[in-house]
């Protein structure tokens, strides 16, 4: 009888595997566990068995009964779950939600800010509606100087209200305008805080430029500056190099070209080696000109320099006490160089086919 019990177990498990409906499962249950079922038959045979063997065989039979019950229950539960789905077409596509994401310019600004925050810079923002004083005078640009010409537009009507905080050195009342550069935050911050300063300041700027592939009357800049008792040009170089490597990649090279800005002295423009040529492994001398650097091999990324003593004067800092560096970069330009975008207008046209790529 012992072997019989073992055989029945094997047969049961083989049979239940083949079952695919609740009705068949019920039939199987009756076959094994019902009155006059297979197990019932075995139990009634027990009485004819020698009494010394009865406990062992009884135990085996009970165990088999348990196993069979458990197996049938499990299958039942599995199918009960399916029953709840009856009437639902599982092959229909799911509902889909359009999830928005950050504009590529916002992503770029955040990436740049994160790099400078790790270097110890603090984020501060200045106003877009600015006075002539902060946009020109405090940056050592005399109002009658031709350098202001490129910025002369977008004036607001009316004179600056008397409530506006105006340093004594500000000539006249002045007018309001849309700022043409984020450098305006330099004196604004210095008026309110003493060094050491490590400031990074993103924002919109406005210029009287006709719109084309590389110009826009509105774009974004990020200004950075550091002021302390012993800031040197090498600090500027080191900071910009670390930034450029983290933003564009470790493999880039960097160079500084002499330049002129009224509010820095000395002033420079900073170039990095063209990331597109480099990626394509094409040397600068290659016949086929690279579309991004136009075959020059270098890309201008920002303007910078050591803060001019006149700027500290307008800030009200004591003479000769502090030195500092400042730099300003165009956000659109950064994104264009990094991702090989050839037309600045793409950022503002709201064409989702473009925006979704980032
Ligand atoms: N403000 C300058 C520009 O708009 C960039 C700059 C910032 C240069 C700080 C030097 C120092 O071109």
């Amino acid at each position: 009888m012992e072997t019989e019990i073992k055989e029945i177990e094997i047969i049961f498990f083989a049979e239940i595997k083949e079952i695919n409906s609740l009705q068949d499962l019920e039939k199987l249950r009756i076959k094994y566990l019902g009155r006059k079922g297979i197990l019932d038959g075995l139990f009634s045979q027990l009485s004819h068995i020698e009494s010394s063997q009865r406990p062992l065989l009884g135990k085996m039979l009970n165990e088999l009964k348990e196993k069979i019950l458990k197996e049938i229950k499990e299958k039942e539960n599995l199918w009960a779950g399916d029953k709840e789905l009856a009437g639902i077409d599982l092959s229909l596509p799911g509902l889909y939600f359009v999830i928005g994401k950050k504009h590529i310019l916002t992503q770029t600004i955040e990436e740049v800010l994160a790099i400078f925050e790790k270097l110890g810079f603090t984020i501060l923002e200045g106003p877009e509606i600015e006075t002539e004083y902060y946009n020109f005078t405090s940056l050592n640009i005399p109002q009658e100087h031709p350098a202001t010409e490129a910025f002369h537009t977008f004036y607001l009507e009316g004179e600056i209200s008397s409530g506006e905080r105006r340093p004594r050195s500000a000539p006249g009342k002045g007018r309001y305008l849309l700022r043409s550069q984020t450098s305006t935050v330099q004196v604004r911050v210095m008026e309110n805080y003493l060094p050491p300063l490590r400031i990074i300041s993103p924002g919109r700027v406005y210029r009287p430029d006709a719109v084309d592939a590389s110009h826009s009357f509105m774009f974004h800049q990020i200004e950075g500056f550091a002021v302390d008792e012993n800031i040197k040009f090498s600090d500027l170089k080191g900071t910009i190099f670390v930034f450029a490597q983290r933003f564009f990649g470790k493999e880039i090279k960097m160079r500084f070209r002499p330049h002129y800005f009224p509010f820095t002295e000395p002033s420079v423009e900073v170039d990095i080696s063209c990331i597109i040529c480099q990626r394509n492994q094409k040397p600068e001398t290659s016949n086929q000109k690279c579309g991004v650097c136009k075959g020059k091999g270098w890309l201008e990324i920002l303007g910078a320099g050591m803060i001019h003593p006149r700027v500290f004067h307008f800030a009200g800092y004591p003479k000769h006490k502090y030195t500092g560096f400042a730099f300003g970069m165009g956000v659109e330009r950064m994104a264009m160089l990094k991702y090989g975008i050839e037309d600045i207008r793409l950022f503002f046209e709201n064409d989702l086919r473009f925006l979704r790529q980032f």
Side-chain angles (χ1 to χ4, degrees):
M1 187 166 175
E2 205 180 316
T3 41
E4 203 181 344
I5 294 172
K6 282 181 185 154
E7 272 169 23
I8 285 171
E9 181 173 341
I10 292 166
I11 294 166
F12 167 78
F13 277 98
E15 281 185 1
I16 197 165
K17 257 197 199 142
E18 303 297 317
I19 299 256
N20 337 302
S21 75
L22 275 172
Q23 286 101 313
D24 289 349
L25 192 65
E26 178 60 10
K27 277 187 200 152
L28 191 75
R29 195 187 63 79
I30 293 168
K31 179 173 167 192
Y32 281 86
L33 304 176
R35 264 196 299 143
K36 297 192 185 141
I38 294 175
L39 265 84
D40 208 38
L42 288 170
F43 273 115
S44 48
Q45 279 180 40
L46 270 184
S47 51
H48 310 299
I49 295 258
E50 206 187 302
S51 59
S52 65
Q53 286 204 356
R54 242 181 260 159
L56 176 74
L57 291 171
K59 192 168 167 251
M60 279 180 76
L61 269 176
N62 274 322
E63 279 171 4
L64 178 60
K65 191 178 166 186
E66 285 300 312
K67 271 191 204 166
I68 291 174
L69 257 175
K70 190 168 160 247
E71 193 67 17
I72 290 174
K73 264 264 161 300
E74 262 172 28
K75 258 218 151 128
E76 251 174 24
N77 289 342
L78 207 68
W79 287 338
D82 284 357
K83 252 206 296 191
E84 284 166 19
L85 291 177
I88 296 174
D89 184 351
L90 293 176
S91 66
L92 281 175
L95 293 176
Y96 118 95
F97 299 92
V98 181
I99 299 173
K101 56 170 160 170
K102 287 179 184 167
H103 192 282
I104 179 58
L105 290 178
T106 306
Q107 290 181 41
T108 307
I109 290 171
E110 287 181 354
E111 193 182 341
V112 173
L113 294 183
I115 294 171
F116 282 102
E117 276 193 293
K118 281 201 182 135
L119 294 175
F121 284 69
T122 300
I123 302 169
L124 278 179
E125 285 171 285
E128 285 171 39
I129 295 178
E130 192 48 282
T131 61
E132 288 178 304
Y133 173 72
Y134 290 110
N135 202 60
F136 299 123
T137 317
S138 76
L139 290 168
N140 196 30
I141 312 173
Q143 231 118 245
E144 66 281 5
H145 195 277
T148 60
E149 198 131 296
F151 306 136
H152 268 316
T153 189
F154 301 129
Y155 278 88
L156 279 80
E157 295 202 340
E159 293 222 317
I160 290 171
S161 66
S162 52
E164 181 80 41
R165 197 166 154 265
R166 262 175 305 115
R168 268 188 296 146
S169 49
K173 277 192 137 189
R175 289 175 293 171
Y176 288 111
L177 76 169
L178 296 180
R179 68 175 173 190
S180 50
Q181 49 190 341
T182 45
S183 300
T184 51
V185 289
Q186 289 185 27
V187 168
R188 279 188 170 275
V189 171
M190 290 184 219
E191 279 176 345
N192 290 296
Y193 302 94
L194 281 174
L197 294 177
R198 311 279 187 269
I199 305 296
I200 189 87
S201 184
R204 288 190 195 102
V205 300
Y206 302 81
R207 295 202 184 165
D209 287 335
V211 176
D212 65 22
S214 52
H215 293 88
S216 170
F217 56 85
M218 186 283 296
F219 59 98
H220 299 75
Q221 283 190 331
I222 298 177
E223 185 88 4
F225 55 98
V227 184
D228 211 334
E229 284 192 14
N230 200 18
I231 300 258
K232 298 184 290 291
F233 194 84
S234 51
D235 297 316
L236 168 65
K237 273 187 124 170
T239 306
I240 298 300
F241 191 48
V242 167
F243 160 71
Q245 278 200 329
R246 290 192 185 164
F247 188 80
F248 289 108
K250 269 250 168 299
E251 66 285 355
I252 57 124
K253 290 196 277 288
M254 192 178 72
R255 74 175 184 189
F256 281 62
R257 274 180 293 107
H259 197 72
Y260 173 76
F261 296 106
F263 38 92
T264 45
E265 179 60 35
S267 302
V268 291
E269 274 187 339
V270 181
D271 297 341
I272 58 165
S273 49
C274 178
I275 43 178
I276 307 297
C277 300
Q278 216 162 46
R279 231 177 263 148
N280 300 344
Q281 298 275 309
K282 273 193 207 135
E284 291 159 37
T285 49
S286 159
N287 289 338
Q288 230 188 334
K289 275 197 177 168
C290 163
V292 178
C293 70
K294 309 280 182 287
K296 283 186 246 155
W298 294 95
L299 304 167
E300 181 201 322
I301 59 164
L302 50 84
M306 300 305 288
I307 296 174
H308 197 290
R310 290 285 288 168
V311 175
F312 290 137
H313 162 76
F314 284 114
Y317 282 176
K319 250 188 178 170
H320 306 310
K321 183 156 188 203
Y322 301 113
T323 55
F325 66 74
F327 58 86
M329 67 183 93
V331 176
E332 284 77 2
R333 193 172 170 78
M334 290 289 147
M336 287 168 88
L337 296 179
K338 183 159 177 167
Y339 302 106
I341 299 163
E342 285 176 5
D343 195 322
I344 195 171
R345 289 169 289 200
L346 286 165
F347 292 115
F348 308 116
E349 284 169 347
N350 242 355
D351 185 337
L352 292 178
R353 289 169 304 177
F354 169 73
L355 296 173
R356 281 206 185 106
Q357 297 176 80
F358 305 101

